[in-house]
Each structure stands twice: as structure tokens, then as C-alpha cells.
Amino acid sequence: MKSENNINNNDLNTSPIVVALDYADKASALAFADKIDPRDCRLKVGKEMFTHFGPQMVKDLQTRGFDVFLDLKFHDIPNTTARAVAAAADLGVWMVNVHASGGARMMAAAKEALAPFGKDAPLLIAVTVLTSMESSDLADLGITLSPADYAERLARLTRDCGLDGVVCSAQEATRFKSALGQAFQLVTPGIRPAGSKADDQRRVMTPQEALAASVDYMVIGRPITQSADPAQTLRDIRASLR
Ligand SMILES: O=c1ccn([C@@H]2O[C@H](COP(=O)(O)O)[C@@H](O)[C@H]2O)c(=O)[nH]1
């Protein structure tokens, strides 16, 4: 169910931008939210903010009119994951995610947990290969496939379990749209405007390249939140995509 205060913004919002609200203090996060227009982006609450501030953080953003992607990347046994996904749906979030490497039974259980929510269910997506990972990181785990090949394998499994889409790199978007269908949603972190530093990201693309690759949503954090004027940086990136 939607929370009482959740003003669902889905119908109004045509922006592909999801800002990763990775702040250590709530005041800075809300000050940023107060300076931006919910039509220019959706907001992602991840492990840092949720661990600091809990579900109230999500509600505070929803009351300001934002669709919230709860990025907690659930990865557990099927029962626990399904119950966590249902709890996220109770919060009225727009999108929630699990790790595809939790396997088919886990993803199917998560999907099934959303059935009682009907049309109010959040989008359910699965993380394939983290955008911070490159071939050598996979090799350390005993995975000899390239990041793109392994991500496609996990994305196929995700689609076959009936989820709405995946988190992947924008570098994989053209290939995945063609292999998995246009309707399968691609949510892509690792977005870096030209000239910004990659930080810990490895499989990156600029916002313009990501748009040209037909991603559905591009997740952008530090290039916005750590800029001198985050609200203006968001508006500049949004304008550059029109
Ligand atoms: O594969 C993934 C999955 C999630 N993320 C999250 O996206 C943002 C990216 O932030 P930046 O500051 O733009 O790097 C962050 O919250 C990650 O937890 C990801 O980067 N890659």
C-alpha cells in the first residue's frame, strides 16, 4: 500500500535521472530535496541514509513529492528477502531491489510477495554486476565471464523470474535492450558527466551516452551531491538531456 503521505509522482515525471542521496546528515539531504523539483528526478535512498535515518527518511522525501528508489539490494534466503521486499512496498516506495545472485527462487519469492499490492506494488529490479566491478574483481570470485557476459546471464535469470528490470552498467544497455526486450527496465549507476572523476566506479558512461544507449534510469550520486551547487548541477544535467 502507499503510505498516507506519499504523493505518487510517477505520472508527472519523465526524467530519467535518479539522484543517489548518499549524505551522512539528514539536514543536507533534505535541504537539497527542498531546492529541486520532483519533475527533474527521482531520489534513491541507499544503505547509508536508511541505516542512519530509517523509514522516516523515505517518508520525508515522499511528502515532498518524490518517488523513492529504496536501494537496499536485499540478498538473503527467499523468505527473508520476500518479507523485506513486502516491507518496502508497505512504505510506498517507487522501486526496490534485490541481488540477482541470490538466485531464481529468491527472486521469484520477492516477486510473489508483491502480488497483494497490485498496481501499487513498487518496481522490483535486481542488481547484476555492481558497476564498481571489473573483470579482475570477478576473477577474484572465481567468475571467468566478462562483467557484461555475467551481467547478461544474471539479467536473463531476472527477466525469467518476472522482475521488472535490472541494475547494470550503461555500457551494457544497448546489448541488453536488444537481447532482453525494450520493456525490461535498465537502471544504470556509474554515470559520470564528462570530466568528472570516476571515484570507485569502473564501468562508467556519461549521461548523454547513457541516454543514447536507451537506459531507462540513470543513477547519479557524487557528481551532483558533492558539487558546489547540487541543485544547479542537477538542473544542468537534466537540461543537457533534453
Ligand atoms: O551496481 C551498482 C549498484 C548501485 N550503485 C549505487 O548507485 C550510487 C552511485 O553513486 P555515485 O556517487 O554516482 O557513484 C551509489 O548509491 C551506489 O550504492 C552503484 O553505484 N552501482
Side-chain angles (χ1 to χ4, degrees), residues 23 31-37 40 224-225 227-238:
Y23 283 100
F32 169 66
D34 285 336
K35 282 191 206 128
I36 60 175
D37 187 328
D40 280 335
I224 292 175
T225 57
S227 71
D229 185 345
Q232 189 55 46
T233 303
L234 168 64
R235 285 190 285 272
D236 291 345
I237 295 174
R238 176 83 176 110

Side-chain angles (χ1 to χ4, degrees), residues 38-59:
R39 286 170 298 191
D40 280 335
C41 68
R42 294 175 171 86
L43 296 176
K44 183 174 87 64
V45 172
K47 290 175 173 162
E48 181 180 7
M49 292 224 81
F50 198 79
T51 304
H52 275 304
F53 309 113
Q56 189 58 46
M57 185 72 223
V58 172
K59 292 175 189 164

